[in-house]
């Protein structure tokens, strides 16, 4: 199963044995009391409040501590009551309880019209002392104590929220005093001070971890979502307002996370298919999830309002086989980076909160892959991130994505959309783990040819860099790319998606840190995202090609010296991470082209970040950029190392006197795909990559294929590999053909360096021609007073003379380009080589 649910609390496991010790369990075993034990509330500090009916039909309230794993009896009512809501303050001195005193039948039978149906009490429980009535009304009331931040000293003031079914919320300020014998009692100051928090609301949700109240007020055809933030030392502020195109039924107030009235929740679930919840994430994400009613049978509709992105996505899922009575509302779970939309027995949809723009980053599963054994119904609430409370079963689970199940899905999936979503989930949700990274690399090496709509190497490198560096610096996630894809035109089978632009929320806060600051930053990036903020390699590619084509003598400019200094910093930074013996022979040679690209990437990425992160400081940005490029090279090396280990290759493969193995050919193919991925993103490769790639090509490819790869640019001739090839291979007929083909394709500058390592007449012919051309160029550069003789109109049958004549004509037509530096050439050697070559062509014997 993709979602792993670990039970942190279960009524039957954690409470029933304790009740049995107290002699209370017998009353819970009868069928008529099957619902007598249920969870009432979950507090911020992990305290779970539950209620049960005793042997004498008394109503008890208990507390389970998730940290100590201990139960505690809080209070007992000497009558059979239906507990609606219950909350305990942080100091565990006050207990607020709301309950129904009798049913409608009892009211009619006993003529209790003058007695209020619902009662809300405030009870002193340290020790049990005094009881105060807060509300005595005919409408249901929910209670919830506010909690201070963790680590704060005990307070003499508690604040309590009362949520009335009459669609208003108010706050009570309760002052307590400590008396003798450690008694804590409510200060006798008459009526408790109170303040109106919200009114005219039709829906409300309590965020207990962050002490926020979200609520919806109907506005004509639309609804307005508002949020009130409660502060530890201050009062409260209305901080957010957002207009949503959601028609919320205003006949009954709907509440989320304000306790769990078992009877009422069961009744609401049976009558309505609508479920609406608000989820927040640490990175400043704000989502409104809503399960909608569909008029078409076997069709499920739900919407996710990505308020931090400025758009809404509505998903329509067509169910293949489902009985009408089995259809229930979609349940939502908050996994921080993802929101899970779940319909038991049908589907599981993991929606990427940070990057919801394309469906290929969200994982949609059906059938066995979507099964969650622990959750067989939709009465699910999320009291905090990565937690799920099954209200009907009374079980609290820690919810997480299973890395083993995700990797298994990655291996067995046949669709690109599932592969890409699983790959991103593995990298971004689990952040950076060595073992997971190794398994992903193994999957990539096995599936290079099966992914058609994306390059798995590109996605692995870009997403890995993103998740490694972005958590370290604020707003860096808006500037670094998270994917190599610019768009995706695929579809998820069985799912239709409609995207609508919505208005951005309005925030009103001052000096607020944490979530609100991050949300505001996300909203600002949406407003000013044109041109797009993410770094792109277009300019880098153009500059790299321009500098690569310049001549050698222009490489000493201050600009280029700075570029190569950047590259040196990257390589020195990299050496500190991988100082041990390297399995793959990389980083061991000078590579002008790759170092040029490294230095350019450092320069351009630094400029990009400086434009948007000036407040971070130049020194920090320099470090970020060096880490980014060095991590990039390290990831390529990591891929190579895992591939090298998998195919059990030796540390060095530069032996050209034998053909390569099947394992070497497989590694050569993977290196070709790495090169293709690097070229597509214009990213540098470790120095020595092209040498290693060429060495494997020489060993594994037939000559015509090898030359085709060289001519098409897949293989690049490097000095290290060509020099070793010319020196180590003997001059058999096949090797001469190989060497000659290589020498013919060498660039001019490289040819001058390595041709001298091949002591062969063919190579000597090249050297001689080059030397003669040099002499003629120098001669043509002198001022000569002699008249230039007319060219002969007929060919001369003396081949050296023909060659000299053609060379002179070429110099005359093209102009003179003398070289400043030339290697020393023995004149006698040139003469002998030219004579030998001429006599060979004439068929004469040379002695």
């Amino acid at each position: 199963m993709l979602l792993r649910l670990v039970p942190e609390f279960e009524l039957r496991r954690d409470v029933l044995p304790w009740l049995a010790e107290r002699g209370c369990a017998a009353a819970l075993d009868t069928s008529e009391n099957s619902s007598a034990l249920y969870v009432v509330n979950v507090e911020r500090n992990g305290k779970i409040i539950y209620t049960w009916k005793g042997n004498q039909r008394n109503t008890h309230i208990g507390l389970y501590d998730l940290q100590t794993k201990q139960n505690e009896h809080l209070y007992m009512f000497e009558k059979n009551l239906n507990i609606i809501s219950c909350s305990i303050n942080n100091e565990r001195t006050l207990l607020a309880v709301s309950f129904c005193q009798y049913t409608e039948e009892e009211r009619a039978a006993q003529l209790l019209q003058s007695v209020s149906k619902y009662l809300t009490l405030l009870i002193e429980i340290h020790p049990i002392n005094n009881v105060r009535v807060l509300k005595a009304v005919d409408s249901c009331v929910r209670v919830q104590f506010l909690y201070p931040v963790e680590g704060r000293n005990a307070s003499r003031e508690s604040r309590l929220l009362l949520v009335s079914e009459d669609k208003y919320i108010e706050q009570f300020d309760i002052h307590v005093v400590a008396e003798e014998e450690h008694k804590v009692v409510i200060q006798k100051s008459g009526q408790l001070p109170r303040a109106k928090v919200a009114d005219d609301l039709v829906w409300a949700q309590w965020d207990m971890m962050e002490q926020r109240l979200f609520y919806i007020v109907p506005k004509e055809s639309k609804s307005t979502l508002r949020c009130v933030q409660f502060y530890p030392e201050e009062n409260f502020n209305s901080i957010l307002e957002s207009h949503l195109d959601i028609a919320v039924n205003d006949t009954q107030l709907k509440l989320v996370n304000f306790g769990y009235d078992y009877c009422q929740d069961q009744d609401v679930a049976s009558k309505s298919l609508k479920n609406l919840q608000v989820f927040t994430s640490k990175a400043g994400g704000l989502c409104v999830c809503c399960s909608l009613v569909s008029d078409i049978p076997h069709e499920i509709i739900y919407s996710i309002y990505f308020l931090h992105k400025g758009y809404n996505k509505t998903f329509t899922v067509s169910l293949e086989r489902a009985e009408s009575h089995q259809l229930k509302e979609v349940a939502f779970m908050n996994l921080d980076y993802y929101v899970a939309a779940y319909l038991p027995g049908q589907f599981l949809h993991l929606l990427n909160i940070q990057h919801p723009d394309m469906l290929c980053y969200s994982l949609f599963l059906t059938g066995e892959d979507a099964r969650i054994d622990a959750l067989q119904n939709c009465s699910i609430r999320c009291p905090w991130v990565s937690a799920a409370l099954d209200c009907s079963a009374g079980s609290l689970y820690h919810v997480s994505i299973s890395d083993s199940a995700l990797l298994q899905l990655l291996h067995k999936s046949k669709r690109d959309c599932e592969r890409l979503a699983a790959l991103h989930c593995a990298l971004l949700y689990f952040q950076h783990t060595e073992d997971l990274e190794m398994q992903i690399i193994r999957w990539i090496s096995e599936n290079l040819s099966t992914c058609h709509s994306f390059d798995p190497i590109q996605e692995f490198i870009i997403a890995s860099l993103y998740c490694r560096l972005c958590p370290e610096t604020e707003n860096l996630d808006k500037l670094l790319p998270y994917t190599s894809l610019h768009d995706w035109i695929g579809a998820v089978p069985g799912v239709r998606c409609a995207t609508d632009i919505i208005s951005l929320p309005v925030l009103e806060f001052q000096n607020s840190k944490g979530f609100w600051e991050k949300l505001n930053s996300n909203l600002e990036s949406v407003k000013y995202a044109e041109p797009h903020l993410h770094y792109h390699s277009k300019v880098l590619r153009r500059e790299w090609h321009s500098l690569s084509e310049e001549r050698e003598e222009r490489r000493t400019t201050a600009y280029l010296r700075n570029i190569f200094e950047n590259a040196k910093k990257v390589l020195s930074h990299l050496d500190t991470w991988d100082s041990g013996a390297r399995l793959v022979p990389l980083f061991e040679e000078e590579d002008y082209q790759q170092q040029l690209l490294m230095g350019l990437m450092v320069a351009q990425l630094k400029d990009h970040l400086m434009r948007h992160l000036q407040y971070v400081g130049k020194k920090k940005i320099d470090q970020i950029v060096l880490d980014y490029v060095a991590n990039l090279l390290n990831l390529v090396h990591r891929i190579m190392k895992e591939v090298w280990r998998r195919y059990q290759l030796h540390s060095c493969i530069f032996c050209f006197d034998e053909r390569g193995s099947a394992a070497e050919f497989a590694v050569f193919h993977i290196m070709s795909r790495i090169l293709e991925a690097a070229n597509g993103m214009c990213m540098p490769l470790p120095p020595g990559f092209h040498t290693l790639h060429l060495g494997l090509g020489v060993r594994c490819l037939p000559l015509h294929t090898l030359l085709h790869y060289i001519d098409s640019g897949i293989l690049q001739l490097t000095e290290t590999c060509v020099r070793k090839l010319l020196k180590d291979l003997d001059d058999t007929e096949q090797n001469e053909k190989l060497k000659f083909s290589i020498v013919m394709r060498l660039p001019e500058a490289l040819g001058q360096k390595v041709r001298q390592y091949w002591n062969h007449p063919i190579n000597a012919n090249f050297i001689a021609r080059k030397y003669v051309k040099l002499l003629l160029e120098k001669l043509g550069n002198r001022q000569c007073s002699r008249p230039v003789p007319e060219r002969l109109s007929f060919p001369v049958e003396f081949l050296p003379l023909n060659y000299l004549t053609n060379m002179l004509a070429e110099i005359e037509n093209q102009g003179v380009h003398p070289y400043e530096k030339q290697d020393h050439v023995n004149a006698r050697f040139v003469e002998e080589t030219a004579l030998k070559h001429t006599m060979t062509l004439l068929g004469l014997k040379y002695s």
Side-chain angles (χ1 to χ4, degrees):
M1 290 181 289
L2 184 62
L3 289 189
R4 181 191 293 121
L5 273 70
V6 178
E8 293 190 333
F9 168 79
E10 292 179 322
L11 281 173
R12 291 188 172 277
R13 183 193 68 186
D14 299 313
V15 177
L16 274 181
W18 179 73
L19 291 177
E21 293 177 1
R22 299 171 60 91
C24 301
L28 301 175
D29 293 335
T30 61
S31 58
E32 61 177 331
N33 292 323
S34 59
S35 62
L37 175 64
Y38 58 91
V39 172
V40 182
N41 200 5
V42 180
E43 300 287 10
R44 185 178 190 270
N45 55 7
K47 305 293 193 297
I48 299 173
I49 302 175
Y50 53 88
T51 181
W52 77 93
K53 305 293 174 60
N55 291 322
Q56 305 300 321
R57 307 304 296 164
N58 299 329
T59 303
H60 299 259
I61 298 174
L63 181 75
Y64 181 82
D65 192 327
L66 285 176
Q67 297 180 351
T68 64
K69 310 297 182 185
Q70 298 294 320
N71 286 282
E72 177 184 353
H73 184 265
L74 295 179
Y75 198 76
M76 181 191 72
F77 293 97
E78 295 180 349
K79 58 187 301 186
N80 184 9
L81 300 174
N82 175 25
I83 302 293
I84 296 170
S85 180
C86 188
S87 183
I88 189 170
N89 66 344
N90 186 50
E91 293 75 26
R92 294 166 70 179
T93 58
L94 300 176
L95 183 69
V97 184
S98 176
F99 56 85
C100 180
Q101 298 192 77
Y102 49 81
T103 64
E104 291 295 335
E105 292 77 7
E106 291 174 336
R107 183 171 184 171
Q110 301 179 22
L111 302 176
L112 298 173
Q113 284 82 356
S114 60
V115 180
S116 299
K117 180 178 180 181
Y118 296 95
L119 200 62
T120 303
L121 304 179
L122 182 61
I123 307 171
E124 298 168 352
I125 59 171
H126 189 68
I128 296 175
N129 186 28
N130 187 35
V131 177
R132 297 188 63 166
V133 177
L134 295 181
K135 291 283 183 180
V137 292
D138 283 336
S139 57
C140 181
V141 174
R142 303 289 181 107
V143 291
Q144 177 61 57
F145 274 104
L146 301 182
Y147 274 66
V149 293
E150 294 183 6
R152 184 185 175 213
N153 295 329
S155 174
R156 293 185 178 273
E157 179 180 357
S158 293
R159 290 181 289 166
L160 176 69
L161 292 182
L162 261 69
V163 185
S164 173
E165 199 176 44
D166 292 333
K167 302 178 182 178
Y168 67 87
I169 300 176
E170 55 186 354
Q171 174 185 287
F172 284 80
D173 293 332
I174 307 163
H175 296 270
V176 297
V177 293
E179 296 182 347
E180 69 281 356
E181 299 179 3
H182 306 288
K183 291 183 179 180
V184 178
V185 298
I186 301 171
Q187 193 172 13
K188 307 299 182 181
S189 58
Q191 191 173 7
L192 297 176
R194 68 179 72 183
K196 184 68 67 70
V197 177
D199 54 10
D200 298 328
L201 63 152
V202 294
W203 172 93
Q205 175 180 313
W206 176 241
D207 183 345
M208 68 179 65
M209 295 305 294
E210 302 299 333
Q211 300 290 280
R212 303 184 193 116
L213 170 68
F214 293 97
Y215 66 96
I216 291 179
V217 176
K219 291 284 186 179
E220 297 177 355
S221 61
K222 294 188 176 182
S223 301
T224 299
L225 173 70
R226 293 173 180 164
C227 180
V228 173
Q229 176 72 66
F230 294 87
Y231 299 98
E233 305 295 344
E234 307 170 19
N235 199 2
F236 55 85
N237 283 331
S238 180
I239 204 167
L240 173 142
E241 184 171 296
S242 179
H243 300 292
L244 304 176
D245 188 14
I246 299 178
V248 181
N249 188 351
D250 60 356
T251 58
Q252 182 182 8
L253 177 64
K254 297 178 177 61
L255 300 173
V256 179
N257 292 346
F258 276 105
Y260 307 98
D261 180 3
Y262 178 83
C263 298
Q264 189 179 49
D265 282 353
Q266 289 293 98
D267 182 60
V268 171
S270 64
K271 294 181 180 179
S272 174
L273 287 177
K274 177 165 287 190
N275 174 27
L276 192 149
Q277 294 186 64
V278 175
F279 292 144
T280 61
S281 68
K282 296 176 184 177
L286 177 59
C287 298
V288 178
C289 308
C290 183
S291 176
L292 306 176
V293 178
S294 174
D295 296 331
I296 302 176
H298 313 307
E299 190 173 81
I300 300 296
I301 304 177
Y302 52 98
S303 287
I304 311 293
Y305 289 78
F306 300 98
L307 299 184
H308 59 293
K309 294 290 185 180
Y311 51 80
N312 162 49
K313 288 185 178 291
T314 300
F315 301 93
T316 303
V317 180
S318 300
L319 305 179
E320 295 181 359
R321 293 182 301 273
E323 299 295 334
S324 59
H325 66 274
Q326 292 179 333
L327 300 183
K328 299 179 180 180
E329 66 183 18
V330 176
F332 300 104
M333 290 174 279
N334 186 3
L335 304 178
D336 192 43
Y337 211 97
Y338 287 86
V339 164
Y342 175 59
L343 187 63
Q346 297 294 340
F347 64 82
L348 173 65
H349 193 179
L350 290 184
L351 294 117
N352 192 316
I353 294 177
Q354 290 300 104
H355 310 295
D357 44 346
M358 288 188 278
L359 279 183
C360 54
Y361 301 125
S362 298
L363 192 57
F364 185 86
L365 301 176
T366 58
E368 192 67 19
D369 295 330
R371 183 171 55 90
I372 304 177
D373 290 338
L375 300 178
Q376 298 299 328
N377 58 71
C378 293
S379 58
I380 301 169
R381 293 291 181 264
C382 290
W384 54 75
V385 175
S386 300
L389 176 66
D390 187 338
C391 306
S392 60
S395 300
L396 179 67
Y397 300 96
H398 174 74
V399 186
S400 62
I401 299 174
S402 169
D403 54 351
S404 59
L406 190 64
L407 288 172
Q408 185 179 6
L409 179 67
L410 189 63
H411 279 280
K412 74 176 186 178
S413 179
K414 303 300 181 185
R415 300 190 182 110
D416 273 6
C417 58
E418 290 183 359
R419 292 171 177 149
L420 184 56
L423 180 62
H424 270 263
C425 184
L427 293 170
L428 299 176
Y429 181 82
F430 294 102
Q431 300 297 313
H432 177 249
T433 61
E434 293 286 336
D435 181 62
L436 186 65
E437 194 176 73
M438 181 191 68
Q439 295 187 60
I440 292 174
I441 292 173
R442 188 173 301 163
W443 173 82
I444 290 174
S445 65
E446 295 172 352
N447 293 272
L448 283 172
S449 301
T450 60
C451 300
H452 305 291
S453 60
F454 72 99
D455 188 322
I457 296 176
Q458 290 182 347
E459 290 301 299
F460 169 73
I461 292 175
I462 291 294
S464 295
L465 291 173
Y466 182 86
C467 72
R468 287 184 186 211
L469 297 178
C470 287
E472 300 176 3
T473 305
E474 194 88 14
N475 294 325
L476 190 59
D477 59 321
K478 302 174 185 63
L479 303 175
L480 295 181
Y482 60 88
T483 178
S484 62
L485 297 179
H486 301 297
D487 52 25
W488 188 73
I489 58 175
V492 177
V495 181
R496 301 195 310 273
C497 177
T499 303
D500 298 306
I501 304 299
I502 60 176
S503 58
L504 294 177
V506 177
L507 296 181
E508 296 181 3
F509 66 90
Q510 293 180 350
N511 303 322
S512 183
K513 301 295 183 181
F515 169 78
W516 295 114
E517 185 179 32
K518 293 178 180 178
L519 174 60
N520 186 60
S521 175
N522 288 336
L523 297 178
E524 291 297 314
S525 68
V526 173
K527 293 177 185 176
Y528 307 109
E530 296 294 339
H532 205 274
L533 295 174
H534 284 132
Y535 170 78
H536 199 275
S537 61
K538 286 181 180 178
V539 178
L540 173 64
R541 187 187 303 275
R542 188 165 57 246
E543 180 73 3
W544 182 46
H545 288 319
S546 175
L547 291 176
S548 300
E549 294 171 357
E550 292 186 358
R551 295 178 58 82
E552 185 76 30
E553 54 266 27
R554 298 185 61 186
R555 296 177 185 172
T556 58
T557 64
Y559 173 67
L560 281 176
R561 283 197 300 270
N562 181 59
I563 293 299
F564 284 104
E565 188 63 32
N566 290 338
K568 289 180 182 179
K569 291 179 183 178
V570 171
L571 293 175
S572 63
H573 196 56
L574 185 71
D575 288 337
T576 62
W577 297 347
D578 198 11
S579 56
R582 294 190 179 98
L583 183 65
V584 185
L586 297 178
F587 312 109
E588 296 176 359
E589 66 176 76
E590 293 288 331
D591 191 326
Y592 169 79
Q593 291 290 337
Q594 294 308 310
Q595 291 189 28
L596 176 64
L597 185 53
M598 279 181 225
L600 280 173
M601 177 175 275
V602 169
Q604 295 197 4
L605 186 56
K606 188 185 301 183
D607 291 342
H608 179 73
L609 297 184
M610 282 296 293
R611 283 194 296 271
H612 304 284
L613 292 178
Q614 295 179 1
Y615 57 88
V616 173
K618 183 178 182 300
K619 186 176 180 180
K620 176 65 175 177
I621 288 178
D622 288 346
Q623 187 64 43
I624 292 172
V625 171
L626 287 177
D627 284 347
Y628 188 87
V629 182
N631 267 296
L632 191 155
L633 297 174
N634 187 58
L635 282 171
V636 176
H637 181 245
R638 181 74 195 277
I639 295 173
M640 292 296 302
K641 187 164 61 175
E642 296 301 334
V643 170
W644 222 256
R645 183 183 292 115
R646 177 189 173 195
Y647 288 99
Q648 300 179 343
L649 298 191
H650 300 293
S651 60
C652 185
I653 48 83
F654 294 116
C655 179
F656 301 119
D657 56 356
E658 60 183 31
R659 301 301 298 167
S661 62
E664 290 178 22
F665 184 80
V667 173
F668 172 80
H669 174 65
I670 294 173
M671 289 190 71
S672 300
R673 292 300 300 269
I674 293 175
L675 179 62
E676 181 183 352
N679 290 337
M681 295 188 297
C682 196
M683 71 178 191
L685 291 166
F689 181 92
H690 289 293
T691 294
L692 185 60
H693 193 207
L694 179 62
L696 283 171
V698 171
R699 286 174 60 88
C700 298
L701 299 177
L703 181 58
H704 67 279
T705 307
L706 174 70
L707 299 179
H708 173 69
Y709 275 35
I710 294 174
D711 294 337
S712 60
I714 298 175
L715 291 173
Q716 296 186 23
L717 299 175
T718 65
E719 180 180 350
T720 303
C721 188
V722 174
R723 184 174 66 241
K724 189 168 183 61
L725 186 145
L726 295 178
K727 289 173 65 175
D728 292 0
L729 280 181
D730 55 13
D731 290 329
T732 63
E733 181 179 354
Q734 184 176 2
N735 288 344
E736 279 188 356
K737 191 173 182 181
L738 169 63
K739 290 182 178 181
F740 177 73
S741 301
I742 295 293
V743 168
M744 283 286 291
R745 287 167 169 79
L746 290 176
E748 191 63 39
L750 180 57
Q752 294 177 26
K753 293 181 180 179
V754 300
R755 284 187 184 126
Q756 57 183 317
Y757 294 104
W758 187 22
N759 187 16
H760 189 273
I762 296 178
N763 190 46
N765 178 45
F766 281 110
I767 297 175
R769 290 187 178 189
K770 183 67 181 174
Y771 183 64
V772 171
K773 183 176 182 180
L774 172 64
L775 292 178
L776 291 173
E777 288 174 348
K778 289 184 177 180
L779 179 63
N781 196 35
R782 296 176 183 174
Q783 296 294 332
C784 184
S785 59
R786 298 179 183 179
V788 179
E790 295 182 1
R791 295 182 188 170
L792 298 176
S793 60
F794 57 90
V796 180
E797 295 299 330
F798 183 57
L799 295 182
L801 183 57
N802 285 343
Y803 177 73
L804 291 176
T805 303
N806 293 335
M807 185 64 70
L808 287 172
E810 181 182 343
I811 293 174
E812 184 180 355
N813 292 332
Q814 297 181 357
V816 180
H817 301 283
Y819 288 82
E820 295 178 0
K821 296 181 180 179
Q822 291 294 334
D823 296 333
H824 174 72
V825 179
N826 187 293
R828 179 66 180 167
F829 170 74
V830 173
E831 293 174 1
E832 290 182 356
T833 300
L835 181 59
K836 179 180 178 181
H837 182 58
T838 302
M839 296 187 68
T840 300
L841 293 175
L842 292 174
L844 302 177
K845 186 176 182 181
Y846 175 77
S847 58

